[in-house]
Amino acid sequence: MEGVGWIAAIIIGGIAGWLAEKVMSSSMGVLMNILLGIVGAIVANWLLGLLHIQPLAGWLGYLITGFIGACLLIFIGRAIRR
C-alpha cells in the first residue's frame, strides 16, 4: 500500500476485511480480516492496473479497493472449496 504507512495499512486492511466479512456472511478472525483487507487491496490494485483503470488514492480509496479485493478473495476461496 503505497501512500500510507504500515500502521495505517493494518488499520485500513482490518476495516476493509471486516466489512467484506459482514457483506459476504463469512466468519473469520481479526488477523484474517487484516490479511484479507491488505492482500485484497493489492489484488484489486493489480486488477485495476490490468484494466487500465486508475486506482483510488487516499484512505477512502484504499478502503474501497481493499473491500472489493477482500470480497473477491472470499468469493474465490468459497469457489475453490466447493
Side-chain angles (χ1 to χ4, degrees), residues 36-82:
L36 273 173
I38 292 172
V39 174
I42 293 168
V43 169
N45 272 323
W46 177 72
L47 288 173
L48 289 173
L50 287 177
L51 298 172
H52 302 290
I53 298 173
Q54 182 67 28
L56 303 170
W59 283 59
L60 184 60
Y62 287 121
L63 180 64
I64 292 169
T65 305
F67 169 73
I68 292 169
C71 287
L72 182 63
L73 290 175
I74 291 172
F75 177 78
I76 292 170
R78 286 181 180 168
I80 290 173
R81 277 190 244 159
R82 291 181 189 202

Side-chain angles (χ1 to χ4, degrees), residues 1 4-15 34 38:
M1 295 186 113
V4 296
W6 285 102
I7 294 174
I10 291 170
I11 293 169
I12 295 169
I15 294 170
I34 293 169
I38 292 172

Side-chain angles (χ1 to χ4, degrees), residues 19-45:
L19 288 171
E21 176 185 58
K22 296 301 177 193
V23 169
M24 298 294 288
S25 298
S26 180
S27 60
M28 309 211 179
V30 173
L31 183 61
M32 193 59 168
N33 285 343
I34 293 169
L35 289 174
L36 273 173
I38 292 172
V39 174
I42 293 168
V43 169
N45 272 323

